């Protein structure tokens, strides 16, 4: 029986008190005047960009299962976990969508969860995403750590279904110290949202700041309401841009307020966007906050993003998977590794120089270099080669002695050798005498 089937089993009455649960901590007022909680923070463009860039980047890399060998490691393409990690997490979710959801939950709520479905022998056969707000962690009476998944009410029925799970059957990916960045930095995010709301209100009113209408005599309630409604209808909102107001009966309009350039509206929004990017550790160029960049600097920031932002998260995931997906008999012999090479590449020229150096010094074979670049192997490409002027250190002394060894001088023929006749010469001479 699968996870989705078992969750339909237990039922209990759901509490309608919002103060008892994750929602209570999310809806706390901050000094910015705006409540920012959970997925509501995704309405900020910079938060959305940071979370999606991190989650999508990690979800897109290849996840390999390796077997340790005496010479290093061998990739196991036919291992059952390979399909689970890269293709289909379960019968209705792709692996990409599963990892995107788990990682984004980790960034938004502080933890991302996935349930491990196992067959009768205990081998993993599926990974089921569990929304973070519906998962809680408990300690049972025996002191064991367990997870509880609470389903959401369906069809308006105020009841929930719960399932307790052993911690070894749940993948849990925590953020830094297990704390939700959005909760910790609610004040900063609220200020960013306030600046956004101010801009929306400013432009929705036609780009004009509020003012007052002054009259030279008191108005009745009916006259006051009529004047207010007529003024708002005719001169308020974007459709009233550049409209000409006609004032009569001693009415005078006086504008007041601080112009947005003096209030540094644009600078405030930019600064808050940079602050959000700093919270998530994403370089400004990755989320489009900087425009005056050249190609090389963008590539260098991409390498920074992969090294300092993605790599620590990937390491957490690898440790969790190696602990909970691999059987005890495979521990130490097999391991799961995320291929980060495509995300940690430098600019094309630096990468070409790096590959050339490794190939010419025999550190890497041609096929190994082609594999890094995503190319198929070629025949004869598995040999380690070095340049002809490079030698092993153990042969350097022998080669040096050959270089300094004196060359033997050519031997000159002596006079005795030149005067003495060889048998061949004597034969020719006798033949000549007979002819005479």
């Amino acid at each position: 029986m699968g996870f989705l089937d078992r969750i339909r089993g237990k039922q209990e009455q759901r509490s309608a008190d919002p103060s008892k649960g994750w929602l209570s901590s999310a809806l706390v007022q901050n000094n910015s005047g705006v409540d920012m909680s959970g997925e509501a923070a995704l309405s900020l463009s910079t938060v959305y960009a940071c979370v999606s860039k991190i989650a999508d980047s990690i979800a897109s890399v290849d996840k390999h299962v390796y077997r340790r060998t005496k010479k290093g490691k061998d990739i196991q393409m036919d291992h059952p976990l390979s399909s689970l990690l890269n293709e289909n997490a379960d019968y209705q979710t792709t692996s990409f969508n599963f990892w995107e959801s788990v990682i984004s939950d980790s960034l938004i709520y502080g933890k991302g969860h996935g349930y491990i479905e196992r067959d009768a022998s205990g081998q993993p056969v599926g990974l089921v995403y569990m929304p973070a707000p519906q998962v809680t962690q408990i300690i049972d009476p025996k002191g064991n750590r367990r997870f509880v998944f609470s389903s959401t009410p369906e069809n308006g029925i105020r009841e929930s279904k719960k399932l307790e799970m052993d911690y070894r059957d749940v993948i849990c990916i925590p953020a830094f110290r297990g704390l939700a960045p959005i909760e910790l930095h609610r004040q900063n995010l609220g200020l960013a949202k306030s600046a956004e709301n101010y801009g929306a209100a400013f432009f929705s009113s036609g780009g004009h700041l509020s003012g007052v209408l002054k009259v030279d005599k008191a108005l009745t309630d009916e006259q006051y309401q009529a004047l207010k409604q007529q003024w708002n209808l005719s001169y308020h909102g974007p459709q009233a841009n550049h409209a000409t107001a006609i004032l009569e009966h001693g009415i005078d309009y006086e504008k007041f307020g601080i112009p947005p350039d003096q209030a540094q509206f644009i600078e405030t929004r930019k600064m808050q966007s940079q602050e959000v990017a700093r919270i998530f550790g994403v370089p400004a160029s990755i989320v489009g906050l900087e425009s005056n960049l050249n190609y090389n600097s963008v590539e260098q920031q991409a390498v920074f993003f992969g090294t300092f932002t993605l790599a620590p998260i990937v390491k957490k995931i690898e440790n969790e998977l190696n602990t909970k997906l691999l059987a005890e008999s495979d521990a130490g012999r097999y391991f799961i590794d995320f291929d980060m090479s495509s995300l940690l590449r430098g600019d094309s020229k630096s990468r070409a120089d790096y590959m050339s150096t490794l190939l010419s010094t025999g550190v890497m074979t041609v096929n190994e270099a082609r594999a890094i670049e995503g190319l198929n192997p070629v025949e004869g490409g598995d040999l380690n080669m070095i340049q002809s002027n490079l030698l092993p250190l153990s042969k350097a002394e022998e080669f040096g002695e050959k270089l300094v060894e004196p060359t033997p001088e050519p031997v000159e023929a002596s006079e005795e050798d030149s005067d003495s006749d060889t048998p061949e010469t004597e034969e020719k001479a006798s033949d000549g005498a007979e002819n005479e």
Side-chain angles (χ1 to χ4, degrees):
M1 182 182 295
F3 171 78
L4 296 179
D5 298 322
R6 284 190 284 163
I7 194 61
R8 299 188 180 97
K10 291 187 176 181
Q11 296 188 13
E12 73 176 51
Q13 194 66 29
R14 178 177 180 142
S15 172
D17 184 1
S19 64
K20 298 179 180 179
W22 66 274
L23 195 61
S24 60
S25 62
L27 298 179
V28 177
Q29 187 75 20
N30 59 65
N31 294 334
S32 66
V34 180
D35 291 326
M36 299 303 297
S37 59
E39 293 185 359
L42 292 177
S43 62
L44 287 171
S45 61
T46 309
V47 173
Y48 181 91
C50 290
V51 172
S52 63
K53 284 290 187 296
I54 296 174
D56 291 348
S57 297
I58 298 177
S60 65
V61 303
D62 293 329
K63 298 93 178 165
H64 297 308
V65 180
Y66 289 96
R67 181 174 62 87
R68 287 187 172 90
T69 65
K70 292 182 178 180
K71 294 184 178 180
K73 61 182 180 180
D74 287 335
I75 189 171
Q76 306 294 299
M77 299 298 296
D78 297 331
H79 198 284
L81 290 179
S82 181
S83 175
L84 201 65
L85 295 172
N86 294 283
E87 297 174 11
N88 295 306
D90 62 15
Y91 67 92
Q92 60 182 359
T93 308
T94 65
S95 296
F96 182 94
N97 289 338
F98 170 81
W99 290 113
E100 181 186 54
S101 300
V102 171
I103 297 167
S104 59
D105 270 6
S106 175
L107 298 172
I108 296 172
Y109 299 105
K111 290 185 178 69
H113 303 88
Y115 176 73
I116 305 173
E117 286 190 317
R118 303 183 188 272
D119 58 18
S121 63
Q123 296 299 317
V125 294
L127 300 174
V128 182
Y129 163 66
M130 299 188 296
Q134 297 172 234
V135 180
T136 55
Q137 183 175 322
I138 63 172
I139 304 295
D140 66 15
K142 296 182 180 180
N144 298 318
R145 184 158 55 100
R146 301 180 67 81
F147 291 92
V148 177
F149 176 81
S150 302
S151 67
T152 55
E154 298 178 0
N155 300 325
I157 301 176
R158 299 302 298 173
E159 59 183 16
S160 65
K161 306 170 185 178
K162 292 188 176 183
L163 176 67
E164 273 194 29
M165 299 159 287
D166 189 273
Y167 82 98
R168 289 168 295 187
D169 292 329
V170 176
I171 295 173
C172 180
I173 310 301
F176 178 69
R177 298 182 64 85
L179 302 174
I182 290 176
E183 292 295 318
L184 291 176
H185 300 279
R186 193 182 305 151
Q187 186 91 333
N188 283 329
L189 299 179
L191 179 58
K193 189 64 177 178
S194 296
E196 181 182 287
N197 292 341
Y198 170 79
F202 172 74
F203 288 107
S204 68
S205 63
H208 296 285
L209 294 176
S210 301
V212 293
L213 291 175
K214 297 190 298 184
V215 295
D216 55 2
K217 62 180 180 179
L219 301 177
T220 65
D221 292 342
E222 292 79 6
Q223 291 174 329
Y224 174 83
Q225 293 296 334
L227 178 60
K228 178 182 177 181
Q229 293 177 6
Q230 185 61 35
W231 182 268
N232 286 336
L233 181 65
S234 301
Y235 306 112
H236 186 78
Q239 69 278 2
N241 280 337
H242 309 297
T244 302
I246 300 176
L247 305 177
E248 54 184 346
H249 302 300
I251 298 176
D252 183 30
Y253 175 75
E254 181 179 342
K255 183 173 68 174
F256 68 94
I258 304 175
D261 57 337
Q262 294 182 15
Q264 297 182 338
F265 165 67
I266 296 177
E267 287 77 3
T268 299
R269 290 209 64 191
K270 182 177 180 180
M271 183 182 67
Q272 289 307 124
S273 296
Q274 292 173 341
E275 189 73 14
V276 172
R278 186 181 298 112
I279 291 171
F280 289 97
V282 179
S285 64
I286 300 295
V287 290
L289 294 180
E290 293 184 9
S291 57
N292 299 325
L293 296 170
N294 56 44
Y295 182 74
N296 287 336
S297 61
V298 171
E299 283 197 331
Q300 292 301 323
Q301 289 200 28
V303 173
F304 178 93
F305 177 58
T307 303
F308 297 103
T309 304
L310 302 183
I313 301 175
V314 167
K315 192 63 177 178
K316 292 179 185 178
I317 300 174
E318 290 174 346
N319 289 343
E320 188 77 356
L321 298 183
N322 286 321
T323 301
K324 297 181 178 179
L325 290 188
L326 294 175
E328 292 183 5
S329 58
D330 291 336
R333 297 192 303 121
Y334 291 86
F335 66 95
I336 298 170
D337 183 76
F338 283 43
D339 185 5
M340 296 285 289
S341 58
S342 60
L343 299 176
L344 298 179
R345 293 175 181 172
D347 60 89
S348 55
K349 183 179 184 305
S350 299
R351 192 166 69 252
D353 293 341
Y354 172 73
M355 291 288 188
S356 178
T357 302
L358 294 182
L359 288 171
S360 63
T361 54
V363 175
M364 181 184 293
T365 66
V366 171
N367 281 341
E368 289 171 340
R370 291 177 64 86
I372 293 176
E373 294 298 318
L375 302 174
N376 292 328
V378 296
E379 185 177 354
D382 293 323
L383 298 176
N384 293 87
M385 296 178 290
I386 62 173
Q387 296 180 8
S388 60
N389 60 342
L390 297 176
L391 291 172
L393 290 176
S394 59
K395 300 291 184 180
E397 185 177 356
E398 179 182 345
F399 182 74
E401 290 177 353
K402 289 183 178 181
L403 292 178
V404 298
E405 186 176 281
T407 305
E409 298 180 358
V411 180
E412 297 181 358
S414 62
E415 294 181 357
E416 295 179 355
D417 294 337
S418 60
D419 293 340
S420 61
D421 295 331
T422 62
E424 183 179 357
T425 304
E426 293 178 354
E427 183 179 354
K428 289 182 179 180
S430 62
D431 290 341
E434 291 177 358
N435 292 335
E436 291 179 355

